[in-house]
Every structure is written in structure tokens, then in C-alpha cells.
Amino acid sequence: MTSSSEGDGVAPDAEREAPSASDAERAPLPSAAAEPARSPATIAGAPDDEAAAGAEPVESGPDPERLRARFGRPFEAGDVIFREGEPGTEAYLLEEGRIRLIKKVRGAERSLMVLKPGDLFGESALLGGAARWSTAIALSRGVALALDQGTLQNLVERNPAVALRIIKQLVGRLRDAEDQIEIMMLTDTQSKVVNALLKLAQQSRAASGSSANGASFAISPMELSTRVGLDVDTVKRAVQQLREGQYLRVADERLEIPDIDALRRLFSLLGLKDEIRGEQ
């Protein structure tokens, strides 16, 4: 996220808003070239017909090149990976690029999140026969690994590191959902943005193990707008106000919060002002 010369608070989104599900009427994610029929992949080890040569040890982990060659699905910006309501048959691990998840609420499309490399999505396919809960649209060119239920189960069973990564992602997804519920309960626009920035700052500090009173993290205008449930322009104006108050800086595609305690005090003040307005 970079600062713009016009001082609009957040730099123009390099990714820009992806086409909505209704605008991106493209074919779903293309399938990889057909392969000879064989039993479900023992992804981290040898295929069944190579078992005599000895299975690859669990500790070695899956071979990324082998995974991509067999399960990789390329996509272009604007491609629809899957649509809300469709039957889910595969979950996806994002290798390259970015994906936006959208859900229809009372006829309007709402962004749920923006996915980055390493994220698991479309996990409803693991429930067997469950319909897709959202629409996934590519924001950029990239590659995802398409894994059916049996293949992903095999991968998890043979690779504890992969299983742990997926568990951490699902726990993080639950935490983000709880954060979004808390943010949605706030009525003031600035309070929503400040609350989201505080949570991101805390997560950044925890991940780095830092005890400093400041934090720095990368986030695009679209990602921040998704977290707070506001449009991108509204978020940019709110961030600009925080910049003018010297509560944050924008540099090298990152947001820098020099004094988290000061931002907390601002959040408390905004809450007090909201209470006063409610009593009037």
C-alpha cells in the first residue's frame, strides 16, 4: 500500500476491484490435462504403482513441483474459480496470485476476504455434497492446487506439517470471523477502521514476537474494506484522517502504526463520542 500524491489516505489499489460474479461470466477454473487413471495420490510419497520402490518418508513433506504438476490449476485475472451454490467437489490451496471471495446478501455482493498464497479455500468440498458458500474470483494470474476429499485427506495424514498449517488457517479464519462480527456491531465508520487496524497491529506484533509499541504490516485498500464491511473510497477517507492525525503512516506498500497505545486511546474516545450521540 503506497501513499498517493493526492493524499487520499491509501494508495490506489494495485489489484483494483475484481469484476463481480455477475460481470465475470467466464468458464470455471480450467482442469489440468487428463492423466492416466490411478488410485488417489499418495502425494507425499510414491504412487501405488511405485510402492515397491518404497514410500517417501512423512518427514520429507510433499514435493511442491510434483504437486503442481499433478494438481495445479492455472487461472487469469477475472476467472471464476467456483460459484456460490454450486456443488463442491474440490478444495484449493493457493500457490500464486490472489483470490477474492464474494457472497450475495439480499441481492448485493459482499466481499468476504482476499486470499493470498498459502491459503486454503473452497473447504466446503470436504463435507461431501455440500454446496459452495461463496463465489471465488481471481484478482490476478496465478495457480491453485485442486484437491478432492480423498487426496487432501491423504496429504494431511501423511504430512503432519501440512495438517498443522491447515488447522492454523482454519483457526485464523474463525478469529477473523469473530473480529468481523465485532466490527459490524460498531456504528461509527472511523471506529470500524481503527478497530480493524488495532487487531492487525496486534497480530503483526504477535507474529514477530515484538514488544515494541508500534507495528507495520502490508494490507491493500480492498483487503481493509473487506475486513470492515465498507467500500474502498470510504476506507481511504478514514485512513487519510488517521494519517492527518499522525496515528499512522503509509510507506513502501505498508501501513505503519508508530504508537498503538495512542490508537487505542483514539478508539476509546470514538466510542465515548458514539455513546454521547446515542443519548441525545
Side-chain angles (χ1 to χ4, degrees), residues 175-176 178-180 182-183 193-205 217 227 257 263:
R175 178 199 62 205
D176 289 344
E178 291 175 343
D179 288 347
Q180 284 184 315
E182 178 182 336
I183 291 170
V193 174
V194 171
N195 183 278
L197 292 176
L198 282 172
K199 292 183 181 300
L200 288 167
Q202 291 163 1
Q203 292 172 22
S204 175
R205 285 204 309 179
F217 48 86
R227 283 181 171 271
I257 300 177
L263 197 61

Side-chain angles (χ1 to χ4, degrees), residues 126-208:
L126 305 181
L127 299 179
R132 297 293 189 189
W133 299 333
S134 60
T135 296
I137 298 178
L139 292 174
S140 64
R141 174 183 295 180
V143 177
L145 301 182
L147 308 171
D148 61 27
Q149 187 174 6
T151 300
L152 185 59
Q153 181 176 343
N154 189 286
L155 176 62
V156 168
E157 288 176 351
R158 294 179 60 85
N159 296 276
V162 173
L164 180 60
R165 192 179 85 177
I166 291 176
I167 290 172
K168 286 182 176 180
Q169 281 196 27
L170 295 178
V171 171
R173 194 83 56 85
L174 177 60
R175 178 199 62 205
D176 289 344
E178 291 175 343
D179 288 347
Q180 284 184 315
I181 291 172
E182 178 182 336
I183 291 170
M184 288 178 183
M185 294 175 68
L186 300 171
T187 58
D188 178 64
T189 296
Q190 195 76 344
S191 294
K192 290 175 182 284
V193 174
V194 171
N195 183 278
L197 292 176
L198 282 172
K199 292 183 181 300
L200 288 167
Q202 291 163 1
Q203 292 172 22
S204 175
R205 285 204 309 179
S208 64

Side-chain angles (χ1 to χ4, degrees), residues 36-116:
R38 62 201 319 173
S39 58
T42 53
I43 300 177
D48 292 351
D49 57 2
E50 298 171 0
E56 186 176 339
V58 169
E59 289 77 9
S60 65
D63 180 354
E65 293 302 322
R66 185 177 183 180
L67 285 175
R68 180 174 293 199
R70 185 164 185 180
F71 301 101
R73 303 291 190 270
F75 54 81
E76 300 290 333
D79 282 354
V80 178
I81 286 46
F82 54 74
R83 297 183 186 278
E84 183 177 352
E86 291 179 345
T89 58
E90 295 173 316
Y92 297 90
L93 280 171
L94 187 59
E95 289 281 288
E96 293 180 7
R98 292 199 173 193
I99 299 289
R100 180 185 177 200
L101 296 184
I102 296 173
K103 187 171 182 64
K104 280 193 174 181
V105 180
R106 294 180 179 177
E109 292 179 344
R110 304 289 185 185
S111 292
L112 298 179
M113 64 183 65
V114 176
L115 302 169
K116 300 177 181 178

Side-chain angles (χ1 to χ4, degrees), residues 169-277:
Q169 281 196 27
L170 295 178
V171 171
R173 194 83 56 85
L174 177 60
R175 178 199 62 205
D176 289 344
E178 291 175 343
D179 288 347
Q180 284 184 315
I181 291 172
E182 178 182 336
I183 291 170
M184 288 178 183
M185 294 175 68
L186 300 171
T187 58
D188 178 64
T189 296
Q190 195 76 344
S191 294
K192 290 175 182 284
V193 174
V194 171
N195 183 278
L197 292 176
L198 282 172
K199 292 183 181 300
L200 288 167
Q202 291 163 1
Q203 292 172 22
S204 175
R205 285 204 309 179
S208 64
S210 172
S211 59
N213 192 36
S216 174
F217 48 86
I219 187 168
S220 72
M222 183 189 296
E223 289 174 282
L224 186 54
S225 70
T226 297
R227 283 181 171 271
V228 300
L230 300 169
D231 63 85
V232 173
D233 288 338
T234 299
V235 167
K236 287 182 176 181
R237 287 193 295 270
V239 169
Q240 176 61 21
Q241 291 175 3
L242 293 173
R243 291 180 65 192
E244 292 171 352
Q246 299 184 349
Y247 290 101
L248 61 80
R249 295 190 291 264
V250 182
D252 298 329
E253 299 186 354
R254 298 181 68 85
L255 280 181
E256 298 178 3
I257 300 177
D259 190 339
I260 295 177
D261 287 340
L263 197 61
R264 285 200 187 99
R265 290 192 293 270
L266 174 63
F267 182 68
S268 297
L269 179 60
L270 291 170
L272 180 60
K273 290 171 63 177
D274 193 46
E275 289 179 9
I276 293 174
R277 284 197 299 266

